[in-house]
Amino acid sequence: MDTKTVKDVQYWKTFAGSLKIDARALIDGQSVDAADGKTFDCVSPIDGKVLAQVADCGEADIDRAVSAARRSFEQGVWAGLNPRKRKAAMLRWAALLRDHADELSVLETLDAGKPIGDTTSVDIPGAIYCIEWFAEAIDKVGGEVAPVDHHLVGLVTREPIGVVAAVVPWNFPLLMASWKFAPALAAGNSVVLKPSEKSPLTAIRVAQLALEAGMPAGVFNVVPGFGATGKLLALHMDVDCLAFTGSTAVGKQIMQCAGQSNLKRVWLELGGKSPNIVLPDCPDLDRAASSAASAIFYNMGEMCTAGSRLLVHRDIKDVFIEKLLAAAASYRPGDPLDPSTSMGAIVDTIQLERVLSYIESGRQQATLLCGGSRALEDSGGYYIEPTVFDVTDPAARIAREEIFGPVLSVLTFDSVDEAIRIANDSEYGLAAAVWTSNLTTAHEVSRRLRAGTVWVNCYDEGGDMNFPFGGYKQSGNGRDKSLHALEKYTELKSTLLRLR
Ligand code: NDP
C-alpha cells in the first residue's frame, strides 16, 4: 500500500470489502475444516452481518491438535532449538505481522466491533510488541548455580512444560492471545490456542502467518469453537498447562476440569470490578475526570481492568460529576471503521442483552446520570451509550458485579478508611487507582488496596511489557506480561552433579 494513502473511513471500508477470510482451523501446519465438517457463523457486531463460516472444532480436532503439539514438542523442532534461533523465528513472524497490520486491524474491528483507531494503535501493534518482547527476552534468561556441598554442583534450570493450551476471550482477541502464546512459545512450548467463538479471526490469520514465517508444523495450532471446545482442552490428559483469560465462573470450571483430569497447571486471568478512588486533594480534577471516563468507556467497557467503580469524596462529588459527564459526552458510539470513532460496538447480542439488563437493574437501584440506552439500531449493529449511575448502596448489583460494558457506578465516601473498605469489599482484586497530591497517602492507600495493579494519579497507564499483570482474590492467579510470565510456561528442575 502506498504510504501516502489516507487511511480514512473509505479506505477501511474498501479494505474490509476486499478481505478473503479463511476461517478454517490450523492444525499441524495445515488449514483444515473440522473433522465432522461443522461450522458456525462469525457475525460482525458492527452491522449484524455474517463475516465467515468458522470451523467448529470438536473432540477429533482437539485430539489432532494436541497430538501434533506433543509430537512437535517431543521431536524438539522448536523446544530443542537454541533460544537464539527461536528468537530469530519469532522476530521474522513479528515482522510479517507488521506487514499485515492493516489486514489484522480491520479483521479485529469487523470481528469484535472495536474502533479501527484502537485496533491500529493498540491491539495489533500491542500483540506484535508482545511477540517481539518475549522473543528478545528468551536468549537472555538463564538458570542458577545454587550453593551446595563442595563435592556437588547444583543447577536450577527452567524447562518448557510441553503442550500449552490457551483459551482466550473476545475483548482484546489477539492481544490477550499474544500475552499467552508469546511467552509460551518463546519458552519452547508447543501451543494449542482456542480463541473465543465471538472473535476467532485474527488468531487464525496470525497462525497462518506463523507458518509462512517458518514456524515448524504442530508448534502453533488454532482450534476455533465454543466453550465446549475449551472444555475439551481443559479435560485433555495430554495438555500440560492451560492458560485462560475470561470470566471467573468459567475459570472455576477449568480448575475443576484440571482436577478431574491430569492436574494440568492452570493459570487464570479473570474478572474485575476495579475501584478508582478520587480523594479531595486530587492534583487535577479535569485529568482525573477524563481518565475516569476512559477507564470505563474505552473499548466499550469490555475491559477486565475497567474502572467500573468510581469512588468520589463527598466534598468534591458535585464538581467532579459535572466534569465526568462532560468527559463522558466525548464517547459517542459510531462506525468502528471510521478512524474518528471513539466507541465501537458491543461484541454480540448476548453481551448486548447482558449489559442492557444490568442497566435495567441500575434504573431500579440507582440514579441514572447519563446514557442508559441502545444506540445506532438502524445500523443493524449492537451499540450502547456511555452510561453513568449515581449509586448510594455499594451492595447494588451494578456496583458489585462485572458488567463488561460501558456502565459506570459512582459511589460516595467520607474518609480514606471508608474508601478503602468499599474498594476492597469485592470478590475481585485485579486493579485499582487512587488520586491524591499527598505522597504518603498515595503509598499507604496503594499498600492497602488488594489488587494486582495500582495506579496513582492515572488509570490504565503502562502498556509496556515490563509489568506483571494479573489479579488477587477471584481475579485469578499467575501473571501475564513481564519475565514473570515465563514462570507459568516452564517447570523448575534441580540437577545435582556429584564431582567425586
Ligand atoms: P467466558 O469466560 O465464557 O469466555 C472466555 C473463553 O472461555 C472463551 O474462549 C469461551 O469460549 C471459553 N469458554 C467458555 N466456557 C468454557 C468452558 N466451560 N471451558 C473452557 N472454556 C470455556 O466469557 P463470556 O464470553 O461468556 O463473557 C461473560 C462475562 O465474562 C463477561 O460479561 C465478562 O464479565 C467476563 N469476561 C471477562 C473477561 C476478562 O478479560 N477478564 C473476558 C471475557 C469475559 P466461547 O467464547 O467460544 O464460548
Side-chain angles (χ1 to χ4, degrees):
M1 194 61 65
D2 179 357
T3 50
K4 292 200 190 90
T5 306
V6 180
K7 294 184 179 174
D8 57 9
V9 61
Q10 205 42 58
Y11 169 84
W12 292 111
K13 280 187 189 296
T14 309
F15 205 132
S18 69
L19 282 175
K20 294 197 179 15
I21 300 172
D22 177 352
R24 289 178 291 172
L26 206 139
I27 299 175
D28 204 6
Q30 295 195 329
S31 292
V32 290
D33 294 320
D36 60 8
K38 272 198 192 155
T39 59
F40 61 89
D41 286 347
C42 176
V43 175
S44 175
I46 289 183
D47 52 13
K49 293 191 180 137
V50 174
L51 282 170
Q53 304 287 320
V54 183
D56 184 1
C57 291
E59 197 163 354
D61 309 296
I62 294 301
D63 284 344
R64 252 193 87 200
V66 172
S67 72
R70 174 64 58 199
R71 193 210 62 238
S72 67
F73 182 71
E74 298 295 341
Q75 287 175 345
V77 290
W78 183 252
L81 292 181
N82 180 326
R84 198 150 47 95
K85 293 203 165 148
R86 283 205 300 275
K87 169 173 98 172
M90 289 180 72
L91 291 179
R92 274 199 306 277
W93 181 27
L96 189 61
L97 296 180
R98 194 160 274 123
D99 291 344
H100 288 262
D102 279 4
E103 177 195 349
L104 292 166
S105 301
V106 84
L107 264 182
E108 202 79 303
T109 288
L110 292 173
D111 202 1
K114 300 163 76 83
I116 191 79
D118 294 347
T119 53
T120 50
S121 65
V122 175
D123 292 82
I124 305 307
I128 295 169
Y129 164 54
C130 177
I131 294 169
E132 288 171 340
W133 196 91
F134 282 104
E136 288 288 359
I138 204 61
D139 62 348
K140 295 162 193 78
V141 286
E144 302 156 27
V145 180
V148 71
D149 279 342
H150 204 65
H151 67 282
L152 295 168
V153 171
L155 305 178
V156 183
T157 50
R158 285 199 170 273
E159 295 182 345
I161 294 187
V163 176
V164 171
V167 176
V168 297
W170 40 265
N171 55 337
F172 290 85
L174 186 59
L175 191 60
M176 291 303 102
S178 71
W179 286 8
K180 316 288 189 208
F181 69 65
L185 288 169
N189 298 282
S190 292
V191 170
V192 180
L193 168 66
K194 193 207 87 68
S196 169
E197 140 274 333
K198 304 178 204 294
S199 58
L201 300 181
T202 44
I204 296 170
R205 185 69 186 120
V206 159
Q208 293 164 355
L209 292 167
L211 273 183
E212 214 174 300
M215 191 168 284
V219 172
F220 186 37
N221 308 273
V222 176
V223 286
F226 288 79
T229 308
K231 189 171 177 186
L232 286 168
L233 286 167
L235 283 170
H236 206 288
M237 292 300 288
D238 208 22
V239 168
D240 300 301
C241 163
L242 193 143
F244 173 78
T245 295
S247 62
T248 295
V250 173
K252 288 181 180 181
Q253 290 173 31
I254 286 177
M255 273 201 148
Q256 286 174 354
C257 290
Q260 281 165 33
S261 54
N262 62 342
L263 273 185
K264 55 182 66 62
R265 281 88 182 102
V266 170
W267 302 110
L268 305 171
E269 199 275 274
L270 307 175
K273 192 75 186 174
S274 299
N276 183 11
I277 304 170
V278 188
L279 296 177
D281 66 345
C282 167
D284 183 341
L285 285 184
D286 290 308
R287 194 151 57 80
S290 74
S291 171
S294 84
I296 183 68
F297 301 132
Y298 179 73
N299 207 47
M300 296 68 74
E302 294 170 346
M303 305 258 295
C304 46
T305 53
S308 49
R309 289 188 295 154
L310 177 65
L311 278 57
V312 186
H313 193 277
R314 195 175 304 280
D315 289 353
I316 53 165
K317 182 179 170 189
D318 291 346
V319 62
F320 194 78
I321 283 189
E322 199 179 308
K323 290 175 189 295
L324 171 73
L325 295 182
S330 67
Y331 288 85
R332 243 179 256 284
D335 181 353
L337 286 169
D338 184 338
S340 68
T341 292
S342 55
M343 228 180 152
I346 302 294
V347 75
D348 70 354
T349 49
I350 298 172
Q351 189 63 13
L352 178 83
E353 291 308 328
R354 194 181 141 91
V355 177
L356 290 174
S357 86
Y358 273 110
I359 290 177
E360 205 36 54
S361 102
R363 286 180 197 274
Q364 315 297 322
Q365 295 187 297
T367 308
L368 181 67
L369 298 180
C370 76
S373 303
R374 206 176 153 177
L376 304 175
E377 271 190 73
D378 290 350
S379 66
Y382 322 131
Y383 301 84
I384 294 182
E385 294 171 341
T387 299
V388 180
F389 283 104
D390 186 1
V391 184
T392 358
D393 178 6
R397 240 185 105 211
I398 51 164
R400 293 199 72 78
E401 296 178 17
E402 184 178 47
I403 300 176
F404 233 62
V407 183
L408 177 63
S409 293
V410 184
L411 296 149
T412 316
F413 63 87
D414 292 293
S415 68
V416 170
D417 283 347
E418 189 190 2
I420 290 171
R421 189 175 46 72
I422 297 171
N424 285 339
D425 182 17
S426 168
E427 68 196 51
Y428 297 116
L430 191 56
V434 58
W435 295 76
T436 176
S437 299
N438 185 308
L439 195 58
T440 303
T441 311
H443 279 291
E444 283 180 353
V445 173
S446 306
R447 272 193 198 160
R448 292 172 67 189
L449 288 168
R450 305 274 300 148
T453 298
V454 176
W455 290 288
V456 178
N457 296 334
C458 59
Y459 203 96
D460 247 335
E461 295 278 348
D464 305 87
M465 266 302 133
N466 303 320
F467 300 95
F469 180 87
Y472 285 25
K473 301 193 268 182
Q474 293 190 44
S475 287
N477 64 339
R479 295 294 182 265
D480 285 330
K481 299 172 69 186
S482 83
L483 293 179
H484 295 284
L486 295 171
E487 293 159 17
K488 301 201 297 194
Y489 305 112
T490 48
E491 293 282 17
L492 270 181
K493 179 174 279 180
S494 296
T495 308
L496 289 139
L497 290 87
R498 191 177 175 123
L499 299 178
R500 65 182 99 83

